[in-house]
Amino acid sequence: MQERMGNPALVLPAAMQALTALGKVPAEAGLSPKLLELVNLRASQINGCSVCIDGHPRIAKKLGETDERLFAVSAWRDTPYFSDAERAALALTEAVTRTSDRADPVPDDIWDEATRHYDGRSLAALVIAIANINVWNRLNIATRQIAGAWKP
């Protein structure tokens, strides 16, 4: 497969600046960089973004994440490797990413569980992180960016 064009965020530097700035907000708000990489990986798996599925585990490994947990992200419900807070974040990630899969994309039980683990500021940061990785996934998928070309 060949890419259709350069990544739109690279073609339009103002877009790259905006997305990069938005990407920094969740960590600046206090969310763990390791948690953010789990979120990035799970959304990217759902969306089928090969660039991000390839790149985000590399970032997570540099942050000290284990292979065991990275390999289990797609099966987080059935493995013992994640905390309740991480599970809440992963459930929210799936719901926000799969908005067309059900009439109520983010049901109260998923939202309420997230609020048990994250205060208003952290929850806002988490939703922004999920939205941001979904933007990157869509840019990469639409333009057929090549996995492995981005080496974080």
Side-chain angles (χ1 to χ4, degrees):
M1 188 176 312
Q2 187 173 348
E3 73 180 24
R4 291 179 167 148
M5 66 177 287
N7 188 297
L10 295 174
V11 173
L12 300 171
M16 178 60 94
Q17 291 171 345
L19 290 170
T20 300
L22 185 63
K24 292 178 182 177
V25 169
E28 290 170 354
L31 288 184
S32 157
K34 285 169 87 173
L35 172 67
L36 293 170
E37 291 308 319
L38 296 176
V39 164
N40 290 338
L41 179 56
R42 186 63 191 125
S44 299
Q45 289 170 335
I46 292 166
N47 289 325
C49 180
S50 62
V51 171
C52 291
I53 291 168
D54 180 68
H56 285 287
R58 295 174 196 276
I59 297 169
K61 292 280 289 183
K62 289 177 184 175
L63 295 170
E65 191 55 83
T66 65
D67 285 336
E68 190 172 55
R69 284 169 42 96
L70 291 171
F71 295 151
V73 167
S74 65
W76 62 267
R77 287 179 182 84
D78 302 316
T79 63
Y81 309 128
F82 304 98
S83 69
D84 289 343
E86 290 168 331
R87 290 175 188 283
L90 291 167
L92 186 62
T93 299
E94 290 183 358
V96 172
T97 300
R98 292 181 163 142
T99 58
S100 66
D101 287 359
R102 56 182 129 185
D104 183 11
V106 183
D108 289 341
D109 62 323
I110 289 174
W111 185 261
D112 292 346
E113 183 63 15
T115 65
R116 286 188 50 229
H117 300 282
Y118 301 96
D119 64 17
R121 182 175 169 81
S122 295
L123 190 54
L126 182 57
V127 171
I128 286 171
I130 296 164
N132 193 45
I133 190 60
N134 274 279
V135 169
W136 281 108
N137 290 166
R138 281 148 179 76
L139 294 174
N140 290 331
I141 292 165
T143 58
R144 292 188 179 154
Q145 298 302 299
I146 306 300
W150 174 52
K151 297 281 190 202

